[in-house]
Amino acid sequence: MTYESKWNAPFTYVDEVKPDQQDQRSRLKYGIINDDQFVYITLKTKDPSTIQNILSSGLKIAFSPEGQKKEAYSLLFPVVMKEDRKALKRIDTDLPNSLGLDLLLDSYNKEAVWKDRSGQHFINLVVPDGSIKSRISMDKNGELTEQIVIPFSLMAVNAKETSMLGVNIKVEGQSSQSGFSPRIGIGLGGGIGMGGGMGVGIGTGGSRYNNNERNVDIRLEVQLARAN
């Protein structure tokens, strides 16, 4: 599917990038803008099953720059460890006003995994180094937002000369992070019982939704914008 990126005029990224397309299967909305140095991606959804899939399995965004190997680069965010999944099974969160969920998102916002030609490596998001930025949050209306900024330089892309960028957005499989050992604990422990309300079960437990129907797998051919 072809998607036309918009040019990043001078503005605050967080406030101005509005998703303008929606994947009908997962109900995940997305928007992409770029300038000469960065590509900016915003993802939003209120779909409970898609939120569950993202929080319990992680989201992988793979990039295929024009003329380079397919999916040579990818960002895994959030990074969901085995320990995270165990903790998620113990939480019945009252979305979105949940202490357990706040702790989970705070933990997820500390690191991501970037894959390039040299392999996979962790990125510290707490101490930004001016390169990759990513953040996940949920508002009071239960809408999950993920925001990502990737420098073209990390993908060996000259945005002034490259016109197309393949982008694949998908939920990672259950065993994909089995090789990683967790470095930052969520601290959910066993003492957080989030009962009551409209409890949406986050995790791999008994969801009343069919996860397969809401699986995220969005494949885009992004036409990069140019300055006027």
Side-chain angles (χ1 to χ4, degrees):
M1 181 176 174
T2 301
Y3 179 92
E4 291 189 13
S5 179
K6 284 92 182 158
W7 183 253
N8 175 21
F11 59 59
T12 303
Y13 163 65
V14 172
D15 297 330
E16 296 291 340
V17 179
K18 304 267 194 310
D20 56 357
Q21 298 288 334
Q22 177 173 284
D23 175 49
Q24 294 307 311
R25 184 180 183 186
S26 64
R27 308 289 194 270
L28 188 69
K29 295 183 287 185
Y30 53 90
I32 302 173
I33 65 174
N34 71 273
D35 51 30
D36 284 341
Q37 294 183 298
F38 300 92
V39 59
Y40 307 79
I41 301 173
T42 295
L43 308 168
K44 287 179 178 285
T45 186
K46 285 186 176 180
D47 186 87
S49 184
T50 296
I51 291 173
Q52 172 178 314
N53 284 337
I54 292 172
L55 293 185
S56 62
S57 295
L59 198 66
K60 178 181 176 182
I61 304 182
F63 300 93
S64 305
E66 193 174 48
Q68 296 191 50
K69 184 180 175 183
K70 185 178 179 182
E71 299 191 4
Y73 311 92
S74 65
L75 182 73
L76 181 60
F77 178 80
V79 181
V80 184
M81 304 296 182
K82 288 182 178 179
E83 285 73 10
D84 297 351
R85 291 199 185 101
K86 290 177 184 176
L88 281 163
K89 288 181 181 180
R90 293 198 298 266
I91 303 176
D92 187 27
T93 52
D94 180 15
L95 293 177
N97 302 308
S98 161
L99 173 62
L101 182 65
D102 287 345
L103 285 169
L104 183 71
L105 295 180
D106 183 58
S107 170
Y108 283 168
N109 282 322
K110 290 178 179 176
E111 61 186 5
V113 172
W114 175 249
K115 184 193 116 179
D116 54 24
R117 292 172 179 174
S118 63
Q120 295 185 347
H121 45 93
F122 279 96
I123 297 168
N124 187 334
L125 300 173
V126 180
V127 184
D129 59 2
S131 58
I132 293 173
K133 298 180 177 66
S134 52
R135 178 169 177 77
I136 191 167
S137 61
M138 183 177 285
D139 67 17
K140 62 182 184 297
N141 297 316
E143 183 172 57
L144 191 77
T145 299
E146 185 164 319
Q147 297 169 309
I148 294 154
V149 184
I150 309 282
F152 284 124
S153 60
L154 292 185
M155 299 184 284
V157 168
N158 183 335
K160 294 180 179 179
E161 298 176 357
T162 302
S163 59
M164 300 298 291
L165 177 68
V167 177
N168 184 12
I169 304 166
K170 62 184 177 182
V171 164
E172 277 295 83
Q174 288 288 351
S175 62
S176 59
Q177 289 84 274
S178 58
F180 294 129
S181 58
R183 304 186 311 168
I184 300 176
I186 292 181
L188 289 173
I192 302 175
M194 296 287 133
M198 45 166 281
V200 176
I202 293 183
T204 55
S207 170
R208 64 179 184 272
Y209 301 96
N210 183 338
N211 288 350
N212 292 330
E213 292 179 359
R214 289 285 184 266
N215 192 39
V216 179
D217 191 356
I218 305 170
R219 299 172 187 271
L220 303 173
E221 285 294 323
V222 179
Q223 183 170 345
L224 297 177
R226 303 283 175 89
N228 293 329

